[in-house]
Amino acid sequence: MTFNEKYNVGEDYQHLFNFSENDQIALDALWLAAQFLNPIQAAIQLQGITYDTIATQVGITPDELHELFGGDKLPTFEIIIKLQLILDIHFDINAKLLRPTTLIKNNEY
């Protein structure tokens, strides 16, 4: 689903959001990463832990941690799990069908 299909973009501005499929996937990946990293970053700040300490506990460099929070690098699930354990937080994941009337046949998603 493209950006223009997800959101009501005025006709005069639709050309600004005509991304290729690969660009759209990259943007969606960054958005999804932010859904994990924003609460992780808030927990780090609330707990008063330094990025250097967190990075050491996760097993990455402080620069790599900054790249994650800056959107320059996508986190792996392993890194998210390690951060979750270190910070004593938990993620609830919910999914919804974008087209609930569409039947899924033969395990095709």
Side-chain angles (χ1 to χ4, degrees), residues 50-66:
T50 67
Y51 279 9
D52 287 355
T53 300
I54 290 289
T56 300
Q57 291 178 341
V58 172
I60 60 176
T61 68
D63 286 342
E64 288 174 304
L65 191 63
H66 284 284

Side-chain angles (χ1 to χ4, degrees), residues 36-81:
F36 289 99
L37 293 173
N38 287 343
I40 287 171
Q41 190 170 31
I44 290 170
Q45 292 169 351
L46 282 171
Q47 294 181 29
I49 304 170
T50 67
Y51 279 9
D52 287 355
T53 300
I54 290 289
T56 300
Q57 291 178 341
V58 172
I60 60 176
T61 68
D63 286 342
E64 288 174 304
L65 191 63
H66 284 284
E67 288 174 354
L68 292 175
F69 289 116
D72 298 319
K73 183 178 178 182
L74 293 175
T76 64
F77 286 120
E78 289 82 6
I79 288 174
I80 291 170
I81 297 298

Side-chain angles (χ1 to χ4, degrees), residues 8 11 19 26 28 31 33 37 39 48 67 84 90 93 107 109:
N8 186 14
E11 192 173 312
F19 305 118
D28 288 346
W31 180 86
L37 293 173
E67 288 174 354
Q84 173 177 264
H90 175 76
I93 309 299
N107 295 327
Y109 301 98

Side-chain angles (χ1 to χ4, degrees), residues 6 13 25 50-51 55 83-84 94 97 102-103:
K6 286 182 188 177
Y13 300 100
I25 289 169
T50 67
Y51 279 9
L83 288 165
Q84 173 177 264
N94 296 304
L97 290 174
T102 302
L103 295 177

